[in-house]
Amino acid sequence: MRKLCLPLLFVITFSLITSPAGAMPSATSKKRDYYEQRGEIVWEVPTPKKVIALTFDDGPDDDSTVRILDLLKQYDAKATFFVVGNRVEKYPEVVKREVEEGHEIGNHSFSHPSFERIGSRLITSELDKTQEAVYKAVGQKPVLFRPPGGSYSESIVQFCKNNGLLMILWSWHQDTLDWRKPGVDRIVNKVLKNAHNGDIVLMHDFVSNGTQTSDALEIILPELKKRGYSFVTISELLSYREQTKNYMQVNH
């Protein structure tokens, strides 16, 4: 009996530590600082300027996205929409409006699969199909990418670099969790109590049967504007990185 147990233990252990062929690990051994210093992933852009980047994932939608666009227009706010390709194909006119009103479009995959364990072939398909869907809708391709759930690996980072995409995540203190429908007050408090210059705020413009995000924005937008904040796209926010470096050198 003892002789049988040892080989069985080895088989179980080996199956636990090995991964399927073509799959990539859900975590990376490198820390956030490594990617930030190399400019390969952006979580936020520290700056003395009172600017904030609002970002919206999982759209477009012909109802909730439109309500959000109306609010952004009302407060002269620009934002970045990380779109899902199959929804772009469904609502191209909404994406067209986003671009026409000065907002930025980012790639958020085609069908929103989990990127924790995903092969390179599927990554290529998910991103390329979304690039083409956006191009067909507005005549330009995104240069920003946000992986579903924020999951990434060294392989995905390298894939983005090789394909001209910059990975954008979000400020850890600005994840509103609005997709959970936690209540308007919680979304509002999360953003307002943690607002800092250069933040990237994570919200969603498509939550099934949900209006909490747009309801929260009705409170967030005027309050932050009252505090002196401007709302910028991710690319505009990134332009402050060099300005901030120069500012720090002058004031060192």
Side-chain angles (χ1 to χ4, degrees):
M1 181 69 181
R2 187 176 180 182
K3 290 182 178 180
L4 289 173
C5 288
L6 288 175
L8 180 61
L9 179 61
F10 173 79
V11 169
I12 293 173
T13 303
F14 182 79
S15 65
L16 288 173
I17 64 175
T18 55
S19 58
M24 291 185 297
S26 61
T28 175
S29 59
K30 298 183 177 68
K31 302 293 185 181
R32 169 175 167 172
D33 287 350
Y34 173 85
Y35 291 109
E36 281 187 318
Q37 290 169 6
R38 294 163 64 93
E40 294 174 342
I41 304 178
V42 178
W43 281 265
E44 58 210 2
V45 178
T47 172
K49 302 291 185 179
K50 298 200 75 172
V51 291
I52 283 181
L54 302 176
T55 66
F56 300 91
D57 289 6
D58 295 359
D61 183 69
D62 63 345
D63 182 20
S64 57
T65 306
V66 169
R67 288 203 304 270
I68 288 170
L69 286 170
D70 289 343
L71 284 166
L72 294 173
K73 187 175 183 178
Q74 180 182 345
Y75 291 99
D76 191 28
K78 304 307 178 190
T80 302
F81 292 86
F82 286 93
V83 299
V84 174
N86 59 20
R87 298 191 65 81
V88 173
E89 292 183 341
K90 192 174 182 181
Y91 304 113
E93 71 284 352
V94 179
V95 183
K96 187 175 180 181
R97 179 184 168 184
E98 290 170 351
V99 172
E100 288 175 345
E101 295 186 358
H103 305 295
E104 187 166 23
I105 307 299
N107 190 321
H108 195 46
S109 80
F110 188 80
S111 61
H112 205 277
S114 170
F115 268 50
E116 290 187 7
R117 303 179 71 83
I118 185 171
S120 59
R121 186 173 299 177
L122 184 54
I123 291 174
T124 301
S125 174
E126 285 286 326
L127 271 64
D128 284 353
K129 287 169 68 177
T130 302
Q131 295 291 87
E132 290 304 319
V134 173
Y135 183 79
K136 185 176 180 180
V138 299
Q140 60 188 53
K141 294 183 179 181
V143 295
L144 307 175
F145 168 64
R146 174 175 285 166
S151 298
Y152 66 91
S153 67
E154 178 66 20
S155 296
I156 297 174
V157 172
Q158 292 304 315
F159 179 90
C160 288
K161 288 179 63 178
N162 294 338
N163 289 273
L165 290 167
L166 176 62
M167 190 181 300
I168 306 295
L169 295 181
W170 56 86
S171 303
W172 286 347
H173 55 278
Q174 287 289 14
D175 183 353
T176 63
L177 299 176
D178 57 343
W179 59 274
R180 293 183 180 176
K181 303 178 187 177
V184 172
D185 288 344
R186 287 194 176 186
I187 297 171
V188 169
N189 290 336
K190 184 68 173 180
V191 177
L192 296 184
K193 289 183 178 180
N194 296 289
H196 296 94
N197 298 358
D199 278 354
I200 297 176
V201 181
L202 173 61
M203 291 183 282
H204 295 76
D205 61 316
F206 175 63
V207 178
S208 183
N209 299 316
T211 64
Q212 291 184 9
T213 301
S214 57
D215 291 343
L217 280 173
E218 290 188 46
I219 303 170
I220 292 168
L221 287 167
E223 176 57 30
L224 287 181
K225 195 164 187 178
K226 181 180 176 182
R227 297 182 190 180
Y229 283 100
S230 296
F231 306 97
V232 299
T233 64
I234 290 294
S235 287
E236 189 175 353
L237 182 67
L238 293 173
S239 72
Y240 287 96
R241 288 197 295 190
E242 193 60 38
Q243 294 178 34
T244 300
K245 286 178 184 178
N246 294 336
Y247 174 87
M248 293 175 67
Q249 288 173 358
V250 169
N251 290 274
H252 184 63

